[in-house]
Amino acid sequence: MKKLLMAILALVMLTGCSNKNDESTIMAPIKELYCLYDQDGRILNENLFKSYIECDFGYLVTNEENQVGLISLNGEDIIPFGEYKTLTAVSNMFCATKDVEATKPVGTDGFIYENLYILNSKGDIIYSASEETGIKISG
């Protein structure tokens, strides 16, 4: 009986107890644009994208009007197109600007004091540059 229990325990440890169903997605080209598909070939987002950058939890995408946005791996909009003019992935966060102008550090300290937003993976603003709050982007 002990040998049977040990065999079952070893089998459970080797195979794991998880019932996780991993889904894979892929950006596939359609002529000169891209579309998001799942592993069964179903379209997950009706939009076509001019370019994309894959992140841990989604895709930074650019539409045909050169607007940037963020979609989840399931194709759901996290940050809609047109909300920000620029969007850049930095680790598990995003740097965004609302104006087309390049954001430049002010003064010698290297901090940015306007037009810069730090967003989390859900698209929520967690930090915003202002006269009182400078943001320095590094490494």
Side-chain angles (χ1 to χ4, degrees):
M1 184 69 170
K2 287 183 181 180
K3 289 181 183 179
L4 180 61
L5 278 159
M6 292 300 282
I8 291 172
L9 181 61
L11 183 63
V12 169
M13 288 175 61
L14 289 174
T15 60
C17 297
S18 114
N19 197 11
K20 187 177 179 184
N21 186 7
D22 288 334
E23 290 287 324
S24 297
T25 59
I26 186 170
M27 281 284 191
I30 298 177
K31 296 185 182 183
E32 296 177 9
L33 301 173
Y34 297 93
C35 187
L36 183 63
Y37 291 91
D38 69 4
Q39 63 193 18
D40 297 323
R42 291 186 301 257
I43 295 176
L44 296 177
N45 189 304
E46 295 298 322
N47 293 322
L48 294 177
F49 309 109
K50 195 174 185 180
S51 65
Y52 71 94
I53 298 171
E54 187 173 358
C55 305
D56 290 340
F57 40 81
Y59 296 93
L60 278 173
V61 290
T62 305
N63 67 9
E64 293 178 277
E65 290 83 36
N66 289 324
Q67 297 174 323
V68 293
L70 175 67
I71 61 172
S72 71
L73 293 172
N74 298 328
E76 299 167 357
D77 289 339
I78 297 173
I79 299 173
F81 291 111
E83 190 167 336
Y84 297 99
K85 297 294 181 185
T86 64
L87 198 55
T88 310
V90 179
S91 190
N92 287 330
M93 298 180 293
F94 298 93
C95 292
T97 62
K98 290 193 176 190
D99 294 330
V100 176
E101 319 166 343
T103 304
K104 296 180 182 176
V106 176
T108 58
D109 62 359
F111 285 87
I112 299 166
Y113 292 97
E114 61 181 26
N115 189 34
L116 184 63
Y117 305 89
I118 306 299
L119 312 169
N120 63 15
S121 61
K122 296 177 184 174
D124 301 326
I125 297 174
I126 54 176
Y127 298 106
S128 174
S130 66
E131 288 181 20
E132 299 84 29
T133 307
I135 298 175
K136 186 174 190 176
I137 300 173
S138 63

